[in-house]
């Protein structure tokens, strides 16, 4: 599966932005899809994940209530809607597809995802 992330850009604090992740070359609906981000000088951080059928979604604490993941398997697409953006949300954002954590999807880590898109940069100015 090949993933293409897009939608990043420069926004101001409090603004909204939507990222998209489009898949090709595989059976997209077989995989959970997660979003991660990596701020300058920091490690990659889990943001959230959506189950294969889109019914279950889990988010990390820093973004819960502000970010929403949606999924459309007919379009092979997962979106990340980001509202009330803060300067600390500045990072490269990555989508990834895989099985997700076997214990519980909410516990997913980088190693649970085999396929990664390229990053799309989000910069939030204060």
């Amino acid at each position: 599966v090949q993933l293409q992330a897009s939608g990043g850009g420069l926004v101001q604090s409090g603004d909204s932005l939507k990222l998209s992740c489009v898949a090709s070359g595989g059976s997209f609906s077989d995989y959970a899809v997660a979003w991660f981000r990596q701020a300058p000088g920091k490690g990659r951080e889990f943001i959230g994940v959506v189950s294969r059928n889109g019914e279950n979604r889990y988010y990390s604490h820093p973004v819960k209530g502000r970010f929403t993941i949606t999924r459309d398997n007919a379009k092979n697409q997962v979106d990340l809607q980001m509202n009330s953006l803060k300067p600390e949300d500045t990072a490269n954002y990555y989508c990834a597809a895989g099985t997700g954590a076997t214990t519980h999807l909410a516990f997913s880590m980088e190693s649970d995802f085999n396929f990664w898109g390229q990053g799309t940069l989000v910069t939030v100015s204060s």
Side-chain angles (χ1 to χ4, degrees):
V1 174
Q2 292 80 46
L3 303 176
Q4 180 77 33
S6 63
L10 173 63
V11 297
Q12 293 187 332
S13 182
D15 283 353
S16 297
L17 196 64
K18 186 172 77 173
L19 307 183
S20 293
C21 177
V22 177
S24 61
S27 184
F28 182 63
S29 60
D30 285 348
Y31 303 104
V33 176
W35 286 92
F36 291 80
R37 67 185 180 187
Q38 187 167 19
K42 295 187 177 181
R44 198 168 291 185
E45 174 191 15
F46 170 81
I47 296 174
V49 61
V50 59
S51 61
R52 292 178 293 174
N53 61 9
E55 291 185 356
N56 299 303
R57 293 167 284 185
Y58 305 96
Y59 303 93
S60 65
H61 287 298
V63 307
K64 194 171 185 179
R66 299 189 297 125
F67 290 12
T68 302
I69 298 174
T70 57
R71 178 171 192 151
D72 187 340
N73 283 338
K75 295 181 179 179
N76 284 352
Q77 182 169 331
V78 170
D79 292 335
L80 177 67
Q81 177 67 45
M82 305 184 294
N83 298 330
S84 303
L85 282 162
K86 306 174 182 180
E88 51 263 43
D89 294 319
T90 294
N92 264 307
Y93 283 71
Y94 301 86
C95 59
T99 60
T102 55
T103 51
H104 192 287
L105 206 55
F107 302 145
S108 296
M109 301 184 295
E110 286 185 64
S111 58
D112 297 315
F113 299 92
N114 305 98
F115 308 102
W116 290 79
Q118 87 294 352
T120 184
L121 180 62
V122 173
T123 304
V124 184
S125 63
S126 57

